[in-house]
Amino acid sequence: MAAYLQWRRFVFFDKELVKEPLSNDGAAPGATPASGSAASKFLCLPPGITVCDSGRGSLVFGDMEGQIWFLPRSLQLTGFQAYKLRVTHLYQLKQHNILASVGEDEEGINPLVKIWNLEKRDGGNPLCTRIFPAIPGTEPTVVSCLTVHENLNFMAIGFTDGSVTLNKGDITRDRHSKTQILHKGNYPVTGLAFRQAGKTTHLFVVTTENVQSYIVSGKDYPRVELDTHGCGLRCSALSDPSQDLQFIVAGDECVYLYQPDERGPCFAFEGHKLIAHWFRGYLIIVSRDRKVSPKSEFTSRDSQSSDKQILNIYDLCNKFIAYSTVFEDVVDVLAEWGSLYVLTRDGRVHALQEKDTQTKLEMLFKKNLFEMAINLAKSQHLDSDGLAQIFMQYGDHLYSKGNHDGAVQQYIRTIGKLEPSYVIRKFLDAQRIHNLTAYLQTLHRQSLANADHTTLLLNCYTKLKDSSKLEEFIKTKSESEVHFDVETAIKVLRQAGYYSHALYLAENHAHHEWYLKIQLEDIKNYQEALRYIGKLPFEQAESNMKRYGKILMHHIPEQTTQLLKGLCTDYRPSLEGRSDREAPGCRANSEEFIPIFANNPRELKAFLEHMSEVQPDSPQGIYDTLLELRLQNWAHEKDPQVKEKLHSEAISLLKSGRFCDVFDKALVLCQMHDFQDGVLYLYEQGKLFQQIMHYHMQHEQYRQVISVCERHGEQDPSLWEQALSYFARKEEDCKEYVAAVLKHIENKNLMPPLLVVQTLAHNSTATLSVIRDYLVQKLQKQSQQIAQDELRVRRYREETTRIRQEIQELKASPKIFQKTKCSICNSALELPSVHFLCGHSFHQHCFESYSESDADCPTCLPENRKVMDMIRAQEQKRDLHDQFQHQLKCSNDSFSVIADYFGRGVFNKLTLLTDPPTARLTSSLEAGLQRDLLMHSRRGT
């Protein structure tokens, strides 16, 4: 129960008398009149007004003369005669232009109910659509109250004998409406009200002694007894949806609110209640207070007598009195056109105009009633911007009073509307850090904080050393619950020395770089950093090993090397110390990690050897580095046994075949470390025989020089010439080696004798006895060659003479064919037969069977074809100058090459034939005879 004496009073309404209009300009009631005597005339209603109602843009009045009056907004009063005697009750529907009235047409207790359609006219008056007597039973009784449902299907009439009749159906027509007694009681009915909730219709019935409700939308009309307290006439009303359509009963002690099935709250408003009305969330109570009224701005000095009537406007939601004033003999209170109108017995109409929301709020601000202003703004459905402005003013007020805790709570309610910097600047003082922390926490919870706000909040936590709050802030359950910039938080925590909290954020939100930075640079926990890298996905593990590999290798070389081996072969992220075998393996480019081992040659050697064994297709850089490392170890090793082992390892690596494409690089490495066996091996693999020779010559290894010539002299004959020149320049006794070289030169005919003599002439120790055998043998061979050439010349001359004689005979003498047998079947020749100049004869049928052409002898054709191919080959090779130059350069006997090409006609001049056709025919015949003779002579040889 709320005591109204504790409620604050305000003047949220403006009161004024309604004045008559000056013209038909539609001026609103209550408008300020113009100056002058005519402007001071107040509106006065006809005398004898007994009942009032409002709706559909008009105020409706009924008087003791039976007339019904309408006062529209233009204040042009109109009326008509509705009853012959008097009007006792009116009910104007709000959604339909229908008016229900109760009055009397004759003396006695004969109340009549009339339904008026105000949109239709009958002789200038509204059309009366239905008339029926209001009698609850057989005996007439006085009507006490009336209500109509907005759907026009229900009308309830209360009587002084405690009866209630319910008209169900279309109330505007007799044939569609059914009247029945809903309630009977012993106490007069003082109030009725319909309440619609979904498809259920309730009817509240209040008497002088009790309150009850009926469900009238069903069949049996179930009844619920709500209370044993009643009220007087016109002291009940139905609230709007802001109060959940509760039924209000204004008793003398309290005002009660009811739901259809139970009693709600009550308010202790004292005084004898005369009228209860509901308007826009306000409860209007007109009461007669026997006590002396308090002196205030609501009452005049001469209005302190006990018979005055007090009108109070209560705001039940916000618990204050919006307005209070004193009237004399109030007839009724009406609501229309957004204002309240109070009709007094003297016929005057008083308008109560509600002030606008901003004006009301300013009044509350002046009195520093910010809580009440907030509640009022919410009830008036002020937008969020307006509410935020009130919260800000309230916060400023509390801040100025030193109530920083209360102020920050109001500032928190402005988040999202008020710029955070406005609030933050107020609480930057170290003594107010708790308030600033609370504000920043809420800012983050609403996901409206930026990186600067996160930095500030974390600094507050660290200055307060509030680890529990800090952990609560950063340890969220999921990514969606994170209301701050994680990277900023990690930076701040790291700077403040809260490494464990920073590590927690970095690990849980996958900021791997920050996690490793803190572990390696701040905590120096290298083992944990390496373990963390081993859990990362391949790409991130690879990039972080490239970034932090040198640091890890410096402090924990063995473990780092082990991780790199796995990363470059078959990497799978480890899960709680175990490798994820189901994940597909990946491998990094091992060559990219070689710089990590700059100061760790032992680990580098182990890594390179592991990669070369496990992954033979490793990048070439792995093998190059491994070779260089082994050569370095070999060069610096002092122990002969270890040095020999390293020598073998280096040679085996060179022989692995991995340096074919980088031959030059391997050779440079071997030369840099003076690894002679490797150099010689690479020379031999690269067919650099000249370099091998020069190496042995530089080291005066005579036998090796001869050995190189013997092994590779077939591929490069010039080696023997170089060997001879080398030994010729030596002043030592090298007769044994010179003899060996000369023997090979002689066998292969590599140098002319004169050149050999000239070469050995430079050696002072080389005597004639050294080359005597060589020269004798050479001269003997040349003598034999001269004899053979002279014999061949004589034979060629004789053959040439014989061929010329045969040609001459063929030209000058007839050819006699004396063959008696066929050259194919050896049978006696018979005509027809075929004879050739070569001396072969054939049967015609044998010739046709075996010959390939009519012009060639079948017997001589194979040999002739060989000769023709040789001639054709010689003709094709006439212009092969490149081949001639190559053979001339590479041959040991250049003169024989020139002679061969000379014989082919390469150097012959081109002769143009311009002879007449007969001469050409003769020359072609001679050429044919020469070809035949050539064939014949070749066959004879």
Side-chain angles (χ1 to χ4, degrees):
M1 180 179 295
Y4 82 100
L5 292 177
Q6 299 175 355
W7 290 15
R8 287 184 174 271
R9 296 170 180 265
F10 301 99
V11 184
F12 287 166
F13 285 80
D14 294 323
K15 173 186 173 185
E16 63 179 340
L17 277 171
V18 178
K19 300 175 179 60
E20 289 184 355
L22 297 177
S23 60
N24 297 329
D25 57 357
T32 304
S35 61
S37 59
S40 62
K41 187 175 182 181
F42 298 106
L43 178 68
C44 187
L45 297 177
I49 299 296
T50 57
V51 62
C52 309
D53 203 359
S54 63
R56 306 298 293 180
S58 296
L59 304 181
V60 186
F61 309 103
D63 61 13
M64 296 297 293
E65 303 296 328
Q67 288 190 331
I68 295 178
W69 300 90
F70 296 95
L71 183 66
R73 193 163 189 175
S74 62
L75 302 182
Q76 300 295 327
L77 188 65
T78 59
F80 71 97
Q81 191 72 36
Y83 293 90
K84 295 179 180 179
L85 294 182
R86 66 184 65 84
V87 180
T88 59
H89 297 83
L90 292 173
Y91 191 91
Q92 173 67 56
L93 275 76
K94 305 300 184 288
Q95 298 179 10
H96 303 276
N97 209 1
I98 301 295
L99 175 66
S101 64
V102 179
E104 299 176 359
D105 281 342
E106 57 186 22
E107 294 291 342
I109 304 175
N110 295 304
L112 290 177
V113 179
K114 294 184 179 181
I115 307 300
W116 306 91
N117 188 338
L118 303 181
E119 293 180 349
K120 297 181 179 180
R121 293 288 168 177
D122 182 13
N125 296 328
L127 175 64
C128 183
T129 62
R130 183 183 179 191
I131 302 176
F132 64 92
I135 300 175
T138 57
E139 297 181 2
T141 183
V142 177
V143 174
S144 59
C145 53
L146 167 71
T147 186
V148 180
H149 197 287
E150 289 294 334
N151 63 9
L152 301 178
N153 287 325
F154 297 100
M155 181 171 65
I157 304 174
F159 298 90
T160 57
D161 65 352
S163 301
V164 176
T165 61
L166 177 66
N167 289 267
K168 194 172 183 180
D170 189 352
I171 66 169
T172 62
R173 299 182 181 181
D174 288 325
R175 69 178 64 182
H176 297 295
S177 179
K178 180 181 179 182
T179 304
Q180 55 186 325
I181 298 176
L182 179 67
H183 171 78
K184 287 186 177 182
N186 299 322
Y187 306 105
V189 178
T190 56
L192 298 170
F194 285 107
R195 181 183 188 273
Q196 188 70 37
K199 295 183 179 180
T200 304
T201 305
H202 295 87
L203 174 64
F204 290 100
V205 178
V206 58
T207 67
T208 56
E209 298 296 333
N210 55 40
V211 180
Q212 52 220 324
S213 69
Y214 291 87
I215 299 177
V216 297
S217 55
K219 290 185 177 181
D220 299 331
Y221 308 133
R223 171 179 170 274
V224 178
E225 184 79 21
L226 297 177
D227 209 342
T228 57
H229 300 283
C231 66
L233 284 172
R234 301 191 298 173
C235 290
S236 62
L238 189 69
S239 69
D240 58 19
S242 67
Q243 283 291 332
D244 199 18
L245 296 175
Q246 296 184 91
F247 186 57
I248 301 171
V249 175
D252 288 343
E253 300 297 331
C254 295
V255 174
Y256 300 93
L257 278 67
Y258 298 94
Q259 293 286 353
D261 53 355
E262 62 180 354
R263 193 178 81 175
C266 65
F267 300 91
F269 300 149
E270 296 181 354
H272 177 62
K273 311 300 186 299
L274 301 176
I275 298 174
H277 195 80
W278 188 265
F279 169 71
R280 286 187 175 181
Y282 294 110
L283 175 63
I284 297 93
I285 297 291
V286 178
S287 60
R288 181 180 291 110
D289 193 353
R290 294 296 180 181
K291 297 180 181 180
V292 179
S293 301
K295 294 181 180 180
S296 67
E297 68 273 17
F298 306 110
T299 58
S300 60
R301 294 178 180 176
D302 59 351
S303 62
Q304 305 298 321
S305 59
S306 61
D307 59 346
K308 298 295 182 179
Q309 296 176 0
I310 301 175
L311 183 145
N312 289 321
I313 301 178
Y314 299 97
D315 188 331
L316 301 183
C317 291
N318 301 314
K319 305 294 189 297
F320 65 80
I321 300 175
Y323 188 73
S324 181
T325 188
V326 176
F327 289 99
E328 293 185 4
D329 201 1
V330 176
V331 176
D332 207 344
V333 179
L334 305 176
E336 194 66 25
W337 311 310
S339 301
L340 285 172
Y341 295 91
V342 181
L343 175 63
T344 55
R345 190 64 62 186
D346 58 2
R348 300 296 176 89
V349 179
H350 301 264
L352 300 179
Q353 182 74 34
E354 184 180 9
K355 299 179 184 294
D356 61 85
T357 302
Q358 190 60 41
T359 302
K360 291 187 285 187
L361 291 175
E362 290 175 359
M363 295 172 64
L364 294 175
F365 294 156
K366 289 178 181 179
K367 297 181 179 182
N368 295 325
L369 298 175
F370 292 98
E371 285 287 355
M372 191 168 289
I374 292 169
N375 296 331
L376 176 64
K378 289 181 178 179
S379 64
Q380 297 288 330
H381 305 291
L382 196 65
D383 60 12
S384 57
D385 292 333
L387 283 171
Q389 188 67 23
I390 299 174
F391 295 143
M392 185 192 72
Q393 294 186 38
Y394 190 17
D396 292 343
H397 170 70
L398 295 175
Y399 184 85
S400 64
K401 296 294 184 182
N403 185 1
H404 300 131
D405 293 341
V408 79
Q409 293 303 317
Q410 298 306 316
Y411 288 135
I412 286 174
R413 302 168 78 178
T414 66
I415 291 177
K417 299 297 181 181
L418 181 63
E419 177 61 36
S421 59
Y422 175 85
V423 181
I424 292 172
R425 282 195 299 268
K426 291 179 177 290
F427 295 98
L428 285 177
D429 193 335
Q431 297 179 352
R432 302 167 191 167
I433 193 170
H434 292 86
N435 305 126
L436 179 58
T437 303
Y439 178 81
L440 292 172
Q441 283 177 338
T442 309
L443 194 66
H444 281 81
R445 278 195 292 269
Q446 297 186 17
S447 301
L448 296 174
N450 57 28
D452 294 332
H453 299 149
T454 302
T455 303
L456 189 57
L457 177 58
L458 292 174
N459 284 328
C460 290
Y461 283 141
T462 56
K463 289 184 181 298
L464 292 172
K465 301 188 182 302
D466 192 347
S467 298
S468 60
K469 285 285 187 181
L470 180 59
E471 291 182 2
E472 180 184 352
F473 176 72
I474 67 174
K475 292 185 178 181
T476 53
K477 295 181 180 179
S478 63
E479 190 75 23
S480 60
E481 296 180 7
V482 177
H483 306 294
F484 56 88
D485 183 71
V486 175
E487 187 171 358
T488 301
I490 294 172
K491 292 179 182 177
V492 175
L493 292 171
R494 183 191 182 196
Q495 186 177 5
Y498 283 78
Y499 300 127
S500 60
H501 297 79
L503 287 174
Y504 174 86
L505 282 178
E507 184 173 9
N508 281 272
H509 298 282
H511 286 264
H512 309 306
E513 270 188 54
W514 285 107
Y515 184 92
L516 294 172
K517 276 185 180 180
I518 297 170
Q519 289 284 16
L520 296 173
E521 299 175 9
D522 300 324
I523 304 178
K524 311 294 184 183
N525 191 345
Y526 305 105
Q527 292 281 1
E528 182 60 27
L530 189 65
R531 181 198 63 80
Y532 185 81
I533 293 176
K535 296 193 305 181
L536 296 179
F538 171 74
E539 292 81 4
Q540 296 169 356
E542 181 185 19
S543 62
N544 282 290
M545 280 305 296
K546 291 177 181 178
R547 183 178 290 111
Y548 302 109
K550 289 186 178 180
I551 299 176
L552 294 170
M553 183 62 67
H554 177 71
H555 293 90
I556 46 174
E558 294 182 2
Q559 297 89 328
T560 305
T561 303
Q562 196 63 30
L563 179 59
L564 285 174
K565 288 179 181 179
L567 188 63
C568 297
T569 52
D570 186 20
Y571 178 77
R572 289 181 173 86
S574 60
L575 302 176
E576 298 299 331
R578 295 176 298 172
S579 180
D580 186 6
R581 293 299 174 188
E582 296 181 359
C586 302
R587 65 181 187 181
N589 185 355
S590 51
E591 186 177 1
E592 297 176 355
F593 295 97
I594 292 177
I596 293 176
F597 298 90
N599 299 317
N600 299 79
R602 184 170 61 87
E603 284 75 18
L604 175 59
K605 183 173 181 292
F607 173 73
L608 296 175
E609 290 178 348
H610 173 80
M611 294 306 303
S612 63
E613 293 172 4
V614 177
Q615 190 175 315
D617 60 340
S618 295
Q620 184 61 41
I622 294 294
Y623 292 94
D624 295 343
T625 309
L626 181 58
L627 176 62
E628 183 178 4
L629 190 62
R630 287 182 175 178
L631 292 176
Q632 285 179 354
N633 295 338
W634 173 83
H636 295 89
E637 185 58 49
K638 302 301 181 181
D639 189 345
Q641 294 182 352
V642 178
K643 193 176 186 70
E644 181 62 28
K645 181 182 177 182
L646 294 173
H647 178 278
S648 302
E649 290 178 353
I651 288 295
S652 64
L653 183 59
L654 286 173
K655 292 182 178 181
S656 64
R658 296 294 307 184
F659 299 94
C660 298
D661 297 333
V662 288
F663 172 83
D664 295 339
K665 187 173 183 180
L667 183 60
V668 169
L669 289 174
C670 292
Q671 290 174 342
M672 285 173 56
H673 296 89
D674 197 22
F675 190 60
Q676 301 302 331
D677 291 347
V679 172
L680 292 175
Y681 173 78
L682 292 173
Y683 280 162
E684 188 171 353
Q685 292 298 311
K687 301 185 185 306
L688 301 177
F689 309 129
Q690 301 286 345
Q691 283 78 355
I692 299 175
M693 280 284 290
H694 292 162
Y695 173 79
H696 292 305
M697 288 176 180
Q698 289 175 359
H699 292 80
E700 297 185 350
Q701 298 172 348
Y702 302 148
R703 294 190 180 277
Q704 283 77 1
V705 171
I706 299 298
S707 177
V708 171
C709 292
E710 291 174 349
R711 290 199 310 271
H712 308 296
E714 295 291 337
Q715 299 173 341
D716 188 0
S718 63
L719 294 176
W720 291 104
E721 299 177 13
Q722 294 180 21
L724 181 63
S725 299
Y726 170 72
F727 289 123
R729 289 192 301 270
K730 306 299 288 184
E731 296 298 328
E732 303 174 8
D733 188 5
C734 300
K735 294 180 180 180
E736 177 185 355
Y737 304 110
V738 172
V741 174
L742 287 174
K743 182 178 180 182
H744 192 84
I745 291 176
E746 179 187 357
N747 294 335
K748 298 296 183 180
N749 194 22
L750 299 178
M751 294 176 63
L754 183 59
L755 183 59
V756 172
V757 173
Q758 291 175 350
T759 301
L760 292 176
H762 298 288
N763 192 337
S764 60
T765 61
T767 61
L768 185 60
S769 62
V770 176
I771 62 171
R772 182 185 58 190
D773 295 338
Y774 166 77
L775 291 175
V776 169
Q777 292 178 5
K778 196 66 177 175
L779 291 173
Q780 288 177 353
K781 286 184 178 180
Q782 288 185 354
S783 298
Q784 292 175 1
Q785 184 66 35
I786 290 171
Q788 291 176 359
D789 291 343
E790 289 177 348
L791 179 62
R792 189 177 296 109
V793 169
R794 285 195 301 270
R795 189 172 65 248
Y796 285 162
R797 285 177 177 175
E798 292 173 358
E799 185 69 20
T800 302
T801 302
R802 183 181 61 81
I803 291 174
R804 285 177 176 173
Q805 290 176 358
E806 289 183 4
I807 293 173
Q808 187 62 31
E809 290 178 359
L810 289 174
K811 288 181 178 180
S813 305
K815 179 67 175 176
I816 300 173
F817 300 102
Q818 296 178 345
K819 283 279 189 176
T820 59
K821 292 184 178 181
C822 177
S823 298
I824 293 178
C825 64
N826 289 327
S827 299
L829 282 175
E830 296 179 358
L831 295 177
S833 59
V834 179
H835 302 275
F836 286 90
L837 292 176
C838 60
H840 296 103
S841 300
F842 307 92
H843 293 112
Q844 185 174 359
H845 63 274
C846 292
F847 174 76
E848 292 176 352
S849 300
Y850 290 95
S851 66
E852 296 181 6
S853 65
D854 295 340
D856 295 323
C857 172
T859 303
C860 300
L861 181 61
E863 191 67 25
N864 292 342
R865 183 172 294 165
K866 293 180 181 180
V867 175
M868 293 302 294
D869 290 340
M870 293 174 61
I871 296 174
R872 195 176 298 112
Q874 290 179 354
E875 292 176 353
Q876 291 177 352
K877 292 180 180 180
R878 285 183 180 181
D879 298 329
L880 299 180
H881 303 295
D882 293 339
Q883 185 176 359
F884 166 72
Q885 293 292 339
H886 177 72
Q887 291 183 4
L888 184 64
K889 182 178 180 180
C890 298
S891 176
N892 296 325
D893 188 358
S894 302
F895 182 77
S896 62
V897 175
I898 296 174
D900 179 45
Y901 275 83
F902 215 101
R904 297 181 190 177
V906 173
F907 304 107
N908 292 348
K909 292 183 179 180
L910 181 63
T911 303
L912 296 178
L913 299 178
T914 57
D915 300 336
T918 54
R920 284 202 302 269
L921 182 60
T922 304
S923 62
S924 63
L925 179 60
E926 292 180 355
L929 290 174
Q930 291 179 358
R931 186 164 54 250
D932 290 341
L933 287 175
L934 179 60
M935 294 179 183
H936 176 72
S937 63
R938 188 169 183 81
R939 187 170 60 253
T941 57

